[in-house]
Amino acid sequence: MTEAAPLYIAGEWASQGRDTAVVANPATGREAGRVTHARTEDLDRAAEAAALAFRGWSRMAAYDRSAILRRAAQLLRERAEPIARLMVAEQGKPLAEAKGEVIGSADHIDWAAEEGRRLYGRVIPARAPGVLQIARKEAIGPVAGFSPWNFPVSQAVRKIAGALGAGCTIVVKCPEETPYSCVELVRCFADAGVPAGVVNLVFGQPAQISEHLIPHPGIRMISFTGSVPIGKHLGEIAARHVKRATLELGGHSPFIVCEDADLGSAVKLAAMLKYRNAGQVCAAPSRFYVHESRYEGFVTGLVAAAKAIKLGQGFEEGVTMGPLANPRRLTAMERFVADATDRGARLQTGGRRRGNEGNFFEPTVLTDVPEDAALMVEEPFGPIAPVTAFSSLDQAIAKANALPFGLAAFAFTRSFATAETLSTELESGMVSINHFGIAAPETPFGGMKDSGYGSEGGIEGMEAFVTTKFTSTLGLGGAS
Ligand code: NAD
């Protein structure tokens, strides 16, 4: 990647004359490319371009907007291989996972393209004859989006496609760690015919960008995905300026294996979800609560699955887990393991950095982890599975609900009654039982408690980008 990843503002790519920063390859630690940092005047131009383009885009027929977005989805599918390769070089995940992410992102665009045509309002019966009362859905306005590095394309696409499908324009700050795949995503929208100013892409100092863009008079809403502390901070700035916020923040998802669970399926899914993307997934299971009668069997199965994972460079054939995306996560994993074992946890497998080049950390299983270990209260965001036993369902639910997080929860049971109890009692924005059933474009994705508010995906995700206008008119088609 020889040229610095550029900004895209008002329909033009820009990098000349601006500061750049290194983009590191997480598998080697060496420079993979550079990213252009926006100047303050770039941010102003981007917000103004989004505000200027809003009138035309929001009033374009939803049918025509939809056609443009579907073209963008098609381009993304056609370019999946080269975009996935960029992602592996800057983020580290295995090529197959990267390709799956890009192709899945095209589905998100198609969903937003279609659903934007169904943002129906309603006619409200009036108290007087001749009065027509309408509640209509209007695009809320230009959006400032902030997307993270764990899924460079699929996190950014939820913001861009959602906003555009609803008729909003957007300035999106994509992650500085993984800019190249984001640039190619935005290029798909540009090449599909999205008018200048409708999508604007910036990179730079995150705090400087958010503190400048959120209060900007051209911006009407923010959408952030990232950690709880940063989400709270950005939510405060948005509230001060009376701007709507969708906050998709961290999680610490419980995975409950009940006495009557299908153990084979539970182990298989636990390993798949825990180690996918090296555990850097906001909705990944991160606290495993297993009924005492199934505990040994579950641990044996999970340890075997963790040992079977092939850790290596994402481009290598057969590799099933890549390096962590940045050295911060490596340091965090080492701290979690040291803290847990100091408190009496037993290391069953992994627990160490692999090699001394890149950010490789072994798939790890810890058992008998006390509830006050850092790993059990802070979001791990890495490939560590802490497993503990429970004796009653009430106890498992109490443990699951004990943290301020509430993003995703998983459970395995053969009993419909237990599944219903878990569905209603777990304080979690998404509950998935006996399979992985979250994050499809047509289903709402979002948290409760400290994990944030608002949804991405589903009709709820489209509703996030619209506001309700009420009009009442006397004298049309009746008595006046
Ligand atoms: P971080 O809190 O520094 O950053 C998280 C994300 O927010 C990054 O993408 C970063 O660019 C952005 N960010 C940071 N400060 C910002 C600001 N002032 N304004 C706007 N954006 C800002 O943490 P990190 O080390 O990059 O990531 C580690 C933690 O972040 C993880 O433990 C996890 O909790 C969280 N995270 C969550 C998700 C998610 O999908 N919810 C994704 C990535 C990271």
Side-chain angles (χ1 to χ4, degrees):
M1 299 180 282
T2 48
E3 284 180 18
L7 316 173
Y8 184 66
I9 300 173
E12 286 174 6
W13 297 100
S15 57
Q16 290 295 312
R18 288 140 177 107
D19 290 343
T20 60
V22 168
V23 175
N25 180 334
T28 61
R30 289 194 285 277
E31 182 169 322
R34 300 192 73 84
V35 57
T36 305
H37 277 201
R39 304 174 297 208
T40 308
E41 52 268 36
D42 291 322
L43 302 177
D44 284 334
R45 274 200 321 117
E48 282 153 20
L52 202 66
F54 177 69
R55 192 179 163 82
W57 183 251
S58 60
R59 299 197 178 181
M60 181 186 281
Y63 182 84
D64 296 332
R65 276 201 308 259
S66 175
I68 296 174
L69 293 182
R70 290 180 75 97
R71 266 203 303 277
Q74 191 48 34
L75 289 175
L76 191 58
R77 282 190 191 94
E78 286 165 19
R79 300 173 187 178
E81 175 79 26
I83 297 177
R85 290 190 162 273
L86 290 172
M87 196 191 295
V88 175
E90 62 188 3
Q91 202 274 351
K93 65 183 67 182
L95 185 59
E97 273 186 38
K99 238 198 238 169
E101 176 179 339
V102 177
I103 289 166
S105 297
D107 285 354
H108 279 276
I109 304 176
D110 278 340
W111 163 262
E114 281 304 301
E115 210 52 27
R117 297 170 61 188
R118 303 190 189 104
L119 283 170
Y120 308 128
R122 72 190 201 282
V123 175
I124 301 163
R127 292 186 171 201
V131 172
L132 177 64
Q133 301 189 129
I134 297 178
R136 59 182 92 214
K137 302 282 174 65
E138 290 190 350
I140 191 165
V143 176
F146 302 89
S147 66
W149 43 259
N150 54 340
F151 292 99
V153 170
S154 74
Q155 296 275 17
V157 91
R158 284 167 172 260
K159 304 195 185 308
I160 300 172
L164 268 55
C168 296
T169 56
I170 190 165
V171 181
V172 61
K173 186 204 87 63
C174 283
E176 290 70 29
E177 289 96 335
T178 57
Y180 285 97
S181 44
C182 300
V183 163
E184 293 312 314
L185 168 67
V186 168
R187 202 185 301 282
C188 291
F189 286 97
D191 292 352
V194 168
V198 171
V199 179
N200 304 273
L201 170 68
V202 295
F203 304 103
Q205 297 294 345
Q208 190 209 339
I209 295 179
S210 51
E211 272 151 38
H212 193 80
L213 276 187
I214 299 172
H216 195 287
I219 297 295
R220 291 308 324 151
M221 173 189 164
I222 74 159
S223 176
F224 171 77
T225 300
S227 62
V228 173
I230 303 293
K232 286 184 175 173
H233 173 61
L234 301 193
E236 275 172 24
I237 305 178
R240 217 176 302 137
H241 295 272
V242 200
K243 297 191 181 175
R244 187 186 294 175
T246 294
L247 301 174
E248 203 275 272
L249 309 181
H252 204 327
S253 306
F255 187 107
I256 299 173
V257 181
C258 298
E259 196 173 1
D260 62 352
D262 171 347
L263 201 64
S265 304
V267 167
K268 204 165 152 202
L269 192 76
M272 197 269 277
L273 295 183
K274 178 67 261 180
Y275 302 114
R276 182 174 65 114
N277 205 17
Q280 303 162 117
V281 183
C282 54
S286 44
R287 294 176 287 150
F288 294 83
Y289 297 117
V290 183
H291 188 269
E292 55 197 11
S293 65
R294 316 303 297 275
Y295 186 69
E296 251 186 67
F298 182 83
V299 171
T300 307
L302 190 60
V303 168
K307 285 183 171 161
I309 285 170
K310 185 169 176 209
L311 180 62
Q313 295 226 17
F315 287 117
E316 239 174 73
E317 193 63 34
V319 158
T320 48
M321 191 177 110
L324 294 162
N326 56 56
R328 296 192 296 284
R329 298 314 316 143
L330 200 54
T331 314
M333 293 313 110
E334 285 168 341
R335 179 173 64 84
F336 282 133
V337 172
D339 171 79
T341 48
D342 281 354
R343 289 168 195 267
R346 295 198 302 155
L347 185 62
Q348 301 290 346
T349 185
R352 289 179 296 135
R353 182 180 182 180
R354 172 90 55 90
N356 49 18
E357 191 186 76
N359 311 321
F360 293 97
F361 194 84
E362 295 178 344
T364 298
V365 178
L366 284 160
T367 54
D368 309 290
V369 186
E371 291 292 317
D372 63 351
L375 180 59
M376 298 300 276
V377 288
E378 292 173 35
E379 183 179 21
F381 225 64
I384 306 182
V387 192
T388 59
F390 68 85
S391 51
S392 73
L393 190 63
D394 285 351
Q395 193 190 33
I397 292 171
K399 284 177 187 233
N401 289 343
L403 296 188
F405 298 99
L407 188 59
F410 303 90
F412 271 81
T413 175
R414 286 190 170 101
S415 152
F416 185 73
T418 305
E420 261 311 284
T421 302
L422 288 162
S423 299
T424 49
E425 295 300 323
L426 288 171
E427 294 168 358
S428 181
M430 296 168 286
V431 178
S432 189
I433 298 182
N434 294 333
H435 77 143
F436 179 68
I438 63 174
E442 57 276 9
T443 59
F445 187 101
M448 53 171 67
K449 297 163 77 176
D450 274 7
S451 293
Y453 42 73
S455 288
E456 292 190 321
I459 49 176
E460 293 81 0
M462 299 302 291
E463 297 276 349
F465 292 102
V466 298
T467 187
T468 303
K469 180 190 277 178
F470 173 67
T471 62
S472 178
T473 309
L474 171 65
L476 295 177
S480 60

